[in-house]
Amino acid sequence: MTSGIRPIDVLLQRAGMRGHQRAPSDSKEFHEVTKRDALRLLENDVDRLLQTTEPARRPALQAEMGRFADLFGRFLQEEGPALDWNKIQKLPENAVMNYSNLKSPKNEQNEIRNMLDKLVVIKLNGGLGTSMGCHGPKSVIPVRSDLTFLDLTVQQIEHLNKTYDANVPLVLMNSFNTDEDTEKIVRKYKGFRVQIHTFNQSCFPRISREHFLPVAKDFDVEKDMEAWYPPGHGDFYDTFRNSGLLKKFIGEGREYCFLSNIDNLGATVDLNILNKLVGEERASTPFEFVMEVTDKTRADVKGGTLIQMENKLRLLEIAQVPPEHVDDFKSVKTFKFFNTNNIWANLSAIDRVLRERTLNMEIIVNNKTLENGLRVIQLETAVGAAMKCFDGAIGINVPRSRFLPVKKSSDLLLVMSNLYTLKNGSLVMSPQRMFPTTPLVKLGENHFSKVKEFLGRFANIPDIIELDHLTVSGDVTFGRGVSLRGTVIIIANHGDRIDIPAGAILENKIVSGNMRILDH
């Protein structure tokens, strides 16, 4: 497994300590007995946890913990995440469609409304804004004109519904971290022309790396939030079905969901893609699973990519790559595309793979150290890894503009700048920008990583229409009306401070040392 952890090694050690010498310790039989013991111990511990909750909640939690035990059982069986590199096949020519070849729907109101009424928009809304120094769900961080990720999403869908007299619902997949706050915020959209639904992804107990048992003492999640975790967005399929929403939308005649991360401001409903799925350009054999990919740059070398394996299109993540092939994986020439996590999936196909129990996603082992120093693992899955379980899966190579995630303050600088204008909740790149690519921006972690501190360092966001590359490190502030062009590098040495004066134009400049403009 990742980070050098192999479950069987730890389990053998535990089994030896408990005197389980039923067979030689290197035999297959011994390994199997040890794994069975580990699963039994975990299931006993989970049963104990279930006894700590009120009886009315137990049936639902029992089903959830059953999924957790299944995931743990698979984790024990899998010797490691690496796949057999030699089994990777060349991508077939028709595996990735070029977005520029897609046809727009005829601009007829009824036609477009009929297409939109077959769609559900789903946003992954389980993340907190803590990495950017904010409290609560990430989706409520203001990103443009005091509008949050959630505000922009609601505006986009309301605009579609009003323009085409349609009824596209918005579904938010929350986690136990974001559910309560999101429910309060969603109330403010009551008067909007958007039906908003929410459901919660699973809440699984973190596992101690030392003894491979849950660290939670009881089912009071609020009391000890660190003992629990949401198990990645691959959990979407089961929890969407269990919420009753999958059945509801199929019953309404809806055919596809468009699923994306709430912090990807480029992930808007695309009528050309929708036309290919449910409009007049619909293929005779439906595409059950469509993954939007975009051209890989050197900034995206760790992102998942598409491969063909065992005659199925599938997602390859860096965690699955054997160490000796990591450089091949990162190569822009070998793997040209990376996954944007914008996914279009057929609702009836989701229902089928769940009923037939053919959903199988690779396990991601995430190692963490809690605040009390306890080392834990959390077992996760990724929503795109389900691709291989569907028939007629395909990639679409979309423009970079459909991948505009805000993970760090450097991304925030881009989306708040004059590089974009806001139109009906969507960010549109300025026609004054000569290139379709966004500038590469690197802001120092120590002074810019938290949103509040980041905003305090700019009197207003600089003009970056002609910027190619910006690196800022150290104690640096920007006055009003600054313009940055070409490649600009600003480095304040430790203990020094650089104030870029109001109205300054920096073009292909390196600024270092100490520069302060003081009031007289």
Side-chain angles (χ1 to χ4, degrees):
M1 287 290 168
T2 50
S3 303
I5 182 169
R6 287 178 71 239
I8 195 63
D9 294 339
V10 182
L11 295 167
L12 290 175
Q13 190 181 4
R14 283 176 57 206
M17 285 165 60
R18 293 197 311 274
H20 280 314
Q21 296 298 331
R22 300 171 189 159
S25 62
D26 59 348
S27 76
K28 190 175 179 184
E29 183 194 347
F30 179 80
H31 281 224
E32 290 307 316
V33 167
T34 307
K35 288 174 184 176
R36 281 202 303 273
D37 279 358
L39 187 55
R40 182 176 51 77
L41 285 168
L42 179 110
E43 286 171 343
N44 289 346
D45 233 43
V46 165
D47 283 343
R48 180 187 55 74
L49 281 175
L50 285 166
Q51 297 312 311
T52 67
T53 190
E54 53 269 27
R57 287 185 66 208
R58 270 180 219 160
L61 290 175
Q62 213 154 7
E64 195 164 300
M65 289 302 99
R67 292 201 303 279
F68 168 66
D70 286 348
L71 195 63
F72 184 75
R74 279 183 52 216
F75 163 69
L76 296 178
Q77 294 300 326
E78 294 172 12
E79 284 300 302
L83 50 71
D84 185 342
W85 197 258
N86 297 321
K87 286 187 177 175
I88 296 178
Q89 301 161 313
K90 193 173 185 291
L91 271 185
E93 271 187 28
N94 59 353
V96 179
M97 203 179 279
N98 199 316
Y99 178 85
S100 59
N101 294 336
L102 297 180
K103 290 183 181 169
S104 301
K106 289 180 185 139
N107 207 4
E108 292 174 11
Q109 175 104 354
N110 285 351
E111 184 98 12
I112 294 174
R113 184 183 65 225
N114 288 341
M115 282 169 35
L116 289 170
D117 284 344
K118 293 188 174 92
L119 183 68
V120 180
V121 173
I122 299 171
K123 293 287 180 180
L124 303 171
N125 184 46
L128 292 167
T130 42
S131 63
M132 295 175 77
C134 299
H135 298 292
K138 189 176 181 183
S139 56
V140 300
I141 297 175
V143 284
R144 180 89 192 200
S145 311
D146 286 331
L147 297 170
T148 66
F149 292 104
L150 201 46
D151 291 336
L152 295 175
T153 301
V154 170
Q155 279 191 14
Q156 290 162 18
I157 297 175
E158 184 185 50
H159 173 68
L160 277 177
N161 286 342
K162 279 183 169 176
T163 305
Y164 299 106
D165 191 25
N167 181 23
V168 178
L170 170 63
V171 178
L172 302 172
M173 181 170 91
N174 300 331
S175 68
F176 65 89
N177 288 317
T178 62
D179 180 54
E180 196 177 325
D181 287 337
T182 302
E183 289 296 343
K184 287 176 192 164
I185 292 154
V186 160
R187 289 175 202 152
K188 77 174 183 180
Y189 304 118
K190 256 198 162 59
F192 286 69
R193 190 168 164 174
V194 183
Q195 283 180 19
I196 301 177
H197 305 268
T198 62
F199 70 96
N200 265 17
Q201 68 183 114
S202 302
C203 175
F204 286 175
R206 284 178 165 145
I207 303 164
S208 162
R209 275 184 71 174
E210 188 184 347
H211 48 64
F212 271 43
L213 292 174
V215 297
K217 298 287 184 282
D218 56 44
F219 241 108
D220 190 344
V221 177
E222 293 288 319
K223 191 174 75 181
D224 188 6
M225 300 274 271
E226 275 218 309
W228 302 85
Y229 74 99
H233 40 59
D235 186 52
F236 157 74
Y237 302 100
D238 276 307
T239 48
F240 183 49
R241 188 230 350 233
N242 295 344
S243 71
L245 289 171
L246 177 61
K247 186 179 179 183
K248 169 187 161 62
F249 292 134
I250 291 173
E252 289 174 3
R254 299 188 187 274
E255 294 182 26
Y256 280 85
C257 64
F258 171 49
L259 181 140
S260 61
N261 298 340
I262 192 122
D263 65 6
N264 180 5
L265 294 175
T268 57
V269 172
D270 187 281
L271 293 179
N272 294 6
I273 296 176
L274 195 59
N275 192 29
K276 187 70 186 170
L277 298 177
V278 298
E280 57 191 10
E281 291 297 309
R282 177 199 290 251
S284 52
T285 306
F287 299 118
E288 290 190 349
F289 193 99
V290 175
M291 180 181 286
E292 291 186 36
V293 296
T294 193
D295 290 346
K296 194 194 270 194
T297 68
R298 297 199 184 282
D300 314 307
V301 292
K302 290 183 180 176
T305 192
L306 280 183
I307 59 167
Q308 180 88 349
M309 197 166 178
E310 294 167 345
N311 299 316
K312 281 274 194 179
L313 203 56
R314 59 195 281 176
L315 177 65
L316 174 66
E317 299 277 10
I318 195 165
Q320 298 163 259
V321 177
E324 65 274 19
H325 288 289
V326 167
D327 287 342
D328 298 328
F329 175 81
K330 290 181 176 181
S331 162
V332 177
K333 285 181 183 171
T334 311
F335 297 105
K336 296 181 183 143
F337 310 116
F338 83 98
N339 169 28
T340 64
N341 218 37
N342 299 348
I343 286 163
W344 304 72
N346 183 285
L347 296 176
S348 296
I350 292 174
D351 185 51
R352 185 192 74 238
V353 296
L354 286 168
R355 271 189 291 105
E356 295 177 355
R357 300 178 69 84
T358 53
L359 194 64
N360 174 26
M361 293 165 284
E362 288 79 13
I363 295 171
I364 300 161
V365 182
N366 199 341
N367 294 285
K368 298 258 181 189
T369 302
L370 304 185
E371 280 183 12
N372 61 7
L374 192 65
R375 295 191 312 153
V376 297
I377 57 170
Q378 49 192 54
L379 306 177
E380 303 175 7
T381 53
V383 69
M387 185 177 211
K388 65 178 189 283
C389 309
F390 290 85
D391 298 329
I394 195 167
I396 296 182
N397 185 13
V398 297
R400 185 75 186 198
S401 57
R402 291 193 57 74
F403 183 67
L404 196 58
V406 180
K407 303 289 183 193
K408 296 186 286 197
S409 53
S410 50
D411 302 321
L412 207 50
L413 177 74
L414 294 175
V415 300
M416 293 177 81
S417 74
N418 61 341
L419 207 56
Y420 296 98
T421 52
L422 196 58
K423 191 177 178 189
N424 303 313
S426 300
L427 291 182
V428 182
M429 191 176 278
S430 165
Q432 291 175 281
R433 176 79 176 167
M434 298 292 284
F435 316 102
T437 54
T438 52
L440 185 61
V441 176
K442 295 177 182 175
L443 301 178
E445 288 290 312
N446 291 342
H447 296 83
F448 289 87
S449 64
K450 308 292 185 237
V451 172
K452 192 175 177 185
E453 194 177 12
F454 158 81
L455 292 172
R457 292 188 169 273
F458 294 93
N460 67 348
I461 302 296
D463 166 5
I464 62 169
I465 287 283
E466 295 176 40
L467 179 69
D468 297 324
H469 178 116
L470 173 66
T471 294
V472 182
S473 178
D475 188 356
V476 179
T477 62
F478 293 79
R480 186 168 290 279
V482 171
S483 184
L484 305 172
R485 302 169 186 171
T487 296
V488 178
I489 298 170
I490 306 168
I491 299 173
N493 298 329
H494 184 68
D496 289 340
R497 178 169 152 186
I498 295 176
D499 293 326
I500 305 297
I505 298 173
L506 299 180
E507 183 167 3
N508 295 324
K509 287 278 188 289
I510 297 175
V511 181
S512 65
N514 184 10
M515 184 171 80
R516 296 191 71 177
I517 311 294
L518 302 172
D519 290 336
H520 182 60

